Amino acid sequence: MKPNKSILQHLNDQQKEAVVNYEGPTLIIAGAGAGKTRVLTHRIAYMLSDGISPERIMALTFTNKAADEMKERIGKMVSYNIARRLWMGTFHSIFRKILKNEAEKLGYISNFSIYDTDDSQSLIKSILKELQLYNNDRYKPKDVLSRISHAKNNLITVEAYKNNKAILENDYFKRMDQMWLIYERYQHQLKLSNAMDFDDLLLNTNILFRDFPDILTIYQHKFDYILVDEYQDTNYAQYLIIKKLSDKHKNLCVVGDDSQSIYSFRGARIENILNFKKDYPNYKLFKLEQNYRSTKTIVNAANTLIEHNKERIPKVIFSENEEGEKIEILKSLTEVEEAYVVAKIINELHNQQHIPYHEMAVLYRTNAQSRTFEDSLRRLSIPYRIYGGHSFYQRKEIKDVLAYLRLCINEYDSESLKRIINYPARGIGDTTLQKLETYAQQNFIPLWDCLCNVKQINLFTSGTINKIEEFVKLITELKTEVTTKAAFEFTEKIIEKTGIKAELEKEKNKEEIERMFNVQELLNSIKEFEENFIENYQIQPTIIDFLEHVSLLTSLDENKKEDKNESRVTLMTAHSAKGLEYDVVFIVGAEKNKFPLVNVFTIDENIEEERRLFYVAMTRARKKLFISFSEQVLRWGNIEPTKPSPFISEIDSKFLNIPYNDDNIGKVKERKIFNTSEIKPALKVEKKFVPLAEAVQKKTTSSNLFSHFKTGDVVLHERFGRGVILRIEGTDHNTRALVDFGNLGQKQLLLKYANLTLLN
């Protein structure tokens, strides 16, 4: 069978070489915007057209969206019937499939639940309460879960954790010496609930392959070819699974970009991609260096930044797109002014250059920076969305319905059981539930078994027993239809039979009515899932299939859903922006110690990752890129001077439009598309900044603490920006000032709380 040469059409020479040479270990370095997904999909399509069976190919991605898009593209090139037979999906979805097949070997039942972050934190809260550590600031559920997750990603089991002297000493030093016990009880409760968290899907796959070499051999022979997307984002657990599975045939192809490795806080190890040549000495290397996304200016500027990193695979990314405009460097006095400048530019780009709002993004280093930009966008009536907001599947009313569905599939799922045992209210209160939990913990039995034997427990009145037995009867009856009814039909019955529908229909206010619409939208999503499933697999899916799909959705899958009918500016962290692109990008808060986010303890490798993150932010832009910073920041209620990010000075200045003197403190020049007089009073302002605390200290001999302020003074307010004092009245701590903040209007401020800075 000869491969289909038409698959190679529209590929450049570098891409073609990476597609046709599919035997042996292969590293494909794909620069930003270089067509990584195109090469991966064409490589798989080429292999299929060359006679490789789809069942012999495993392709691993980091999002379900990426997997779905790749299957769609491959289906168009070869055949949808062939494409759907590929073992293609996220690490977690593929390894969940393996664990489901082999669950009994690890002591699980194949219908195990998958706990999301909320479920895990809820379980940890219960354990902390049991150990009387819940109100202890050192044991915050989020931090505890993070430490457990870190251990699992490094394949540290409970036993290994308990026997590792260095780990225990570290916990003792951090005054968290009970971590081993919390980890132990957490894993025990997961097992009792027949549940795994996301990290367990990787940890348990490693344990399966370690303890059952015959199983490993089966899967090694099952897959002749393994392909991995975004290899620079893999952690140690993922790395080891891939290495084990490819150990026999060595037909491993990994695609990624070391310059975009930005997830070390999640356990990602850049060493995995940097050391690929050590693991596979006979590897083939292909570099995809042509950027199809951005202008030449943006690509070349980004190159000059990332070249400052020492730990990198040498490459020169280039673009054959138009030259493009220089990168605009924006300087503002304060963070408030910075936000207004950015909002004003967005407004003018939209109104004068007709750039759609959805083609513009504001990127910041931390989520906390979004507030001032939200305020400014609202003032100019610019629609926006916060990327990374609350997932649809994390809403309370949706979680409630999903908890019923999960419990009907896996009755031992204690977190789902606790969530809905008294929703809608059926008279099984917190006290009753606490007694049941305590009994279950003391006797090391699942909570569901306690409910089923509530009479024998001998802790409750006959009225409470009857209510519990009614609940058990309800779930038991519903369980009988899990595999016989279609997903949509079964969920409809759950909503009706459990009383959720009646409960939601009683609600009257806007927020409560919205919950009903959200549940209706859940049903719509199930109907859509059913149609796609039938199209792909020619069989009717059950609710088990739908829950497997939902439980393995990542935050990236959820966040990247767009409402095509509503154009809005996107606000998000630079981390969230990876994989996205926009015509116009603003990198804001580009100041020293903010971006890069560093402190005196930061080591060189952290600086390199921060530089990679800035590089990722820059390469999201197709046509226009703005980098913005302010001269003063508010820290702990005090206004402090700051400096531009060192990353700005690392970019070759020939690619930048810098509207200030090279000493970084020169006078800002007026920009073409933005008149700075619109956001500050038309008064001459000298470069003399006197923080209020300092000014008050100099006036201690005055009878009025605030006598240094007078009518006509130009002042700075954290939220409202520059203003002019129109009137002062009162004395000492009752001194008030009427301040004109230009477009923001006049504000009456009590000076002891206003924390004004005198600018003249």
Side-chain angles (χ1 to χ4, degrees):
M1 184 175 181
K2 292 184 178 180
N4 184 354
K5 296 293 185 181
S6 65
I7 291 172
L8 303 179
Q9 290 178 356
H10 310 300
L11 297 178
N12 64 35
D13 290 341
Q14 292 173 317
Q15 293 172 333
K16 286 178 184 176
E17 287 298 310
V19 165
V20 301
N21 293 286
Y22 61 79
E23 295 287 345
T26 306
L27 171 60
I28 301 175
I29 296 296
K36 168 179 63 67
T37 304
R38 170 187 286 261
V39 168
L40 204 51
T41 53
H42 280 68
R43 183 179 171 108
I44 295 172
Y46 188 84
M47 291 165 63
L48 293 171
S49 74
D50 203 17
I52 306 297
S53 171
E55 289 86 0
R56 314 290 293 179
I57 299 173
M58 175 188 285
L60 300 167
T61 67
F62 272 83
T63 68
N64 292 281
K65 180 182 178 183
D68 291 342
E69 287 180 354
M70 287 170 64
K71 278 184 184 177
E72 180 70 19
R73 293 190 196 185
I74 293 167
K76 287 180 180 178
M77 285 186 278
V78 285
S79 156
Y80 287 105
N81 286 331
I82 293 175
R84 66 174 59 102
R85 287 157 52 198
L86 291 163
W87 275 61
M88 176 179 284
T90 63
F91 282 86
H92 294 92
S93 64
I94 294 297
F95 299 143
R96 188 219 182 278
K97 192 184 293 188
I98 291 174
L99 288 172
K100 186 177 180 180
N101 293 340
E102 315 296 341
E104 290 183 9
K105 291 180 174 59
L106 296 176
Y108 289 86
I109 305 171
S110 64
N111 64 344
F112 59 83
S113 299
I114 299 174
Y115 278 9
D116 62 18
T117 302
D118 285 350
D119 299 322
S120 294
Q121 287 190 14
S122 175
L123 176 54
I124 286 171
K125 284 178 188 176
S126 298
I127 293 168
L128 292 175
K129 287 176 181 177
E130 180 191 350
L131 297 174
Q132 298 183 336
L133 295 171
Y134 184 58
N135 294 319
N136 189 321
D137 286 340
R138 296 192 299 276
Y139 294 97
K140 295 177 180 177
K142 183 178 179 182
D143 295 340
V144 169
L145 181 59
S146 177
R147 291 175 74 82
I148 291 174
S149 176
H150 183 266
K152 290 183 179 181
N153 284 332
N154 286 282
L155 304 183
I156 300 172
T157 62
V158 171
E159 287 304 311
Y161 196 104
K162 289 164 57 177
N163 294 315
N164 189 306
K165 186 179 179 182
I167 292 176
L168 297 180
E169 285 179 351
N170 183 264
D171 286 345
Y172 182 80
F173 176 76
K174 293 185 176 180
R175 301 171 71 192
M176 296 179 72
D177 54 297
Q178 297 297 297
M179 265 302 305
W180 69 270
L181 182 57
I182 298 169
Y183 186 10
E184 183 176 62
R185 296 204 180 186
Y186 175 70
Q187 289 303 106
H188 177 71
Q189 288 299 324
L190 282 174
K191 201 70 170 287
L192 276 181
S193 298
N194 191 37
M196 299 185 195
D197 63 19
F198 256 55
D199 297 314
D200 282 325
L201 296 176
L202 302 178
L203 175 63
N204 285 334
T205 302
N206 271 292
I207 291 172
L208 176 71
F209 290 162
R210 181 197 68 191
D211 295 349
F212 300 92
D214 55 324
I215 299 297
L216 172 60
T217 300
I218 290 171
Y219 286 100
Q220 284 175 333
H221 288 296
K222 180 176 178 61
F223 301 110
D224 293 330
Y225 298 88
I226 298 175
L227 300 96
V228 184
D229 192 13
E230 304 286 10
Y231 191 62
Q232 78 281 347
D233 294 335
T234 53
N235 59 32
Y236 181 63
Q238 291 162 329
Y239 161 82
L240 206 58
I241 295 170
I242 295 163
K243 198 167 187 307
K244 287 178 178 177
L245 284 174
S246 61
D247 190 52
K248 297 293 183 187
H249 51 70
K250 299 290 195 299
N251 288 322
L252 172 64
C253 172
V254 302
V255 185
D257 182 7
D258 53 297
S259 295
Q260 297 186 69
S261 179
I262 59 174
Y263 294 125
S264 65
F265 66 96
R266 294 182 188 166
R269 305 194 330 159
I270 192 173
E271 299 89 347
N272 293 350
I273 194 167
L274 294 177
N275 294 335
F276 187 84
K277 59 185 178 183
K278 293 181 181 178
D279 290 332
Y280 306 93
N282 299 320
Y283 82 115
K284 293 189 288 287
L285 173 65
F286 300 99
K287 295 181 183 180
L288 309 181
E289 297 174 298
Q290 182 173 353
N291 178 297
Y292 290 92
R293 175 188 302 151
S294 307
T295 64
K296 290 179 180 177
T297 296
I298 292 172
V299 169
N300 292 333
N303 282 343
T304 63
L305 171 72
I306 202 63
E307 283 170 0
H308 287 80
N309 271 12
K310 297 175 183 176
E311 292 292 323
R312 60 188 296 266
I313 297 172
K315 55 188 171 296
V316 179
I317 308 302
F318 68 94
S319 171
E320 293 185 354
N321 294 337
E322 61 182 357
E323 196 70 33
E325 302 173 16
K326 287 188 175 184
I327 297 168
E328 293 270 3
I329 306 298
L330 307 176
K331 180 175 77 167
S332 303
L333 178 61
T334 69
E335 295 161 296
V336 173
E337 182 177 292
E338 177 189 24
Y340 191 84
V341 167
V342 169
K344 188 67 176 177
I345 294 172
I346 288 172
N347 198 43
E348 295 189 5
L349 289 174
H350 179 71
N351 293 329
Q352 296 177 15
Q353 299 187 31
H354 309 294
I355 298 176
Y357 287 130
H358 68 264
E359 282 296 353
M360 292 186 270
V362 178
L363 310 184
Y364 33 77
R365 180 60 183 82
T366 62
N367 281 306
Q369 294 169 250
S370 72
R371 182 187 62 81
T372 54
F373 293 94
E374 289 186 72
D375 289 345
S376 292
L377 291 171
R378 279 198 299 266
R379 287 186 190 121
L380 293 179
S381 300
I382 296 173
Y384 68 90
R385 70 174 185 131
I386 300 290
Y387 193 104
H390 206 50
S391 161
F392 174 77
Y393 292 105
Q394 295 299 317
R395 298 176 190 273
K396 179 193 177 301
E397 58 276 14
I398 304 303
K399 291 271 290 183
D400 290 337
V401 176
L402 294 179
Y404 270 107
L405 297 176
R406 283 170 43 171
L407 190 62
C408 288
I409 295 169
N410 172 23
E411 65 270 31
Y412 296 113
D413 185 341
S414 60
E415 290 307 307
S416 292
L417 192 158
K418 288 189 290 183
R419 183 179 187 94
I420 48 83
I421 191 171
N422 200 40
Y423 176 79
R426 51 175 59 90
I428 305 175
D430 290 343
T431 303
T432 300
L433 183 57
Q434 185 59 54
K435 288 181 180 179
L436 287 165
E437 274 196 275
T438 301
Y439 184 87
Q441 290 164 358
Q442 290 174 345
N443 292 276
F444 304 102
I445 59 175
L447 192 55
W448 175 256
D449 288 351
C450 293
L451 299 183
C452 293
N453 298 283
V454 66
K455 283 183 179 177
Q456 287 72 35
I457 292 176
N458 200 28
L459 289 174
F460 307 106
T461 64
S462 58
T464 301
I465 290 172
N466 289 337
K467 292 169 186 174
I468 292 172
E469 287 183 334
E470 281 297 312
F471 174 74
V472 171
K473 181 181 177 183
L474 170 68
I475 300 301
T476 303
E477 288 178 356
L478 289 170
K479 278 179 65 64
T480 62
E481 298 181 283
V482 163
T483 56
T484 58
K485 283 193 182 308
F488 180 86
E489 185 184 1
F490 183 74
T491 308
E492 258 195 327
K493 183 165 185 176
I494 286 278
I495 293 168
E496 182 80 41
K497 188 97 174 176
T498 60
I500 291 176
K501 184 178 180 182
E503 182 76 11
L504 292 173
E505 287 177 341
K506 291 190 301 186
E507 314 293 10
K508 297 299 179 185
N509 67 44
K510 183 180 178 181
E511 182 181 336
E512 291 164 338
I513 291 172
E514 187 178 335
R515 290 182 188 140
M516 187 66 207
F517 285 123
N518 286 336
V519 172
Q520 290 173 358
E521 183 58 30
L522 174 64
L523 286 170
N524 292 341
S525 72
I526 295 174
K527 176 62 74 174
E528 183 181 323
F529 170 80
E530 277 189 342
E531 291 170 355
N532 291 334
F533 196 93
I534 292 170
E535 182 181 342
N536 285 327
Y537 301 104
Q538 283 78 53
I539 57 171
Q540 181 75 45
T542 66
I543 199 60
I544 296 174
D545 299 307
F546 176 74
L547 273 188
E548 285 183 7
H549 165 73
V550 170
S551 66
L552 293 166
L553 284 176
T554 69
S555 58
L556 292 172
D557 287 309
E558 279 300 293
N559 289 336
K560 290 182 180 175
K561 288 182 177 178
E562 272 282 11
D563 184 351
K564 299 297 183 183
N565 299 317
E566 187 176 0
S567 183
R568 295 177 288 171
V569 175
T570 300
L571 273 62
M572 64 179 136
T573 63
H575 280 102
S576 298
K578 188 167 178 293
L580 300 175
E581 55 187 70
Y582 299 87
D583 282 348
V584 182
V585 169
F586 295 83
I587 303 174
V588 300
E591 292 127 26
K592 185 179 180 182
N593 298 333
K594 186 185 287 184
F595 202 165
L597 189 64
V598 297
N599 56 41
V600 294
F601 301 107
T602 300
I603 55 180
D604 287 346
E605 64 188 49
N606 293 129
I607 291 291
E608 294 217 343
E609 177 152 338
E610 289 289 314
R611 189 177 287 111
R612 292 194 294 269
L613 183 59
F614 206 94
Y615 173 84
V616 166
M618 290 179 69
T619 54
R620 299 310 94 197
R622 297 191 194 100
K623 299 175 181 177
K624 294 177 183 288
L625 177 60
F626 298 81
I627 301 176
S628 174
F629 68 93
S630 58
E631 295 179 281
Q632 293 185 344
V633 295
L634 192 70
R635 289 197 181 101
W636 304 104
N638 296 315
I639 294 175
E640 299 177 4
T642 188
K643 293 182 180 180
S645 167
F647 294 154
I648 297 176
S649 64
E650 292 179 357
I651 301 169
D652 192 322
S653 60
K654 70 183 180 184
F655 302 118
L656 306 177
N657 180 23
I658 308 175
Y660 57 89
N661 295 334
D662 287 341
D663 60 6
N664 290 338
I665 58 171
K667 185 178 179 181
V668 179
K669 298 175 184 177
E670 184 176 314
R671 293 175 8 85
K672 291 180 181 179
I673 64 171
F674 180 68
N675 184 355
T676 55
S677 66
E678 295 179 18
I679 63 164
K680 63 180 181 181
L683 294 173
K684 184 178 179 181
V685 179
E686 297 180 10
K687 293 291 290 185
K688 181 182 179 183
F689 307 136
V690 185
L692 176 60
E694 181 184 337
V696 172
Q697 188 176 11
K698 291 179 180 178
K699 300 285 184 175
T700 52
T701 58
S702 170
S703 60
N704 184 349
L705 288 172
F706 302 97
S707 62
H708 54 286
F709 287 112
K710 60 185 182 299
T711 301
D713 278 349
V714 180
V715 294
L716 178 71
H717 185 273
E718 173 208 344
R719 181 176 177 186
F720 305 126
R722 283 186 174 99
V724 180
I725 296 179
L726 302 179
R727 185 174 67 248
I728 292 180
E729 54 190 21
T731 59
D732 294 328
H733 292 292
N734 293 317
T735 306
R736 297 181 299 280
L738 180 65
V739 185
D740 183 3
F741 290 102
N743 289 350
L744 302 182
Q746 297 178 4
K747 310 289 182 184
Q748 182 85 280
L749 304 174
L750 192 62
L751 291 184
K752 71 176 180 179
Y753 296 124
N755 200 25
L756 294 177
T757 300
L758 189 63
L759 297 183
N760 66 336

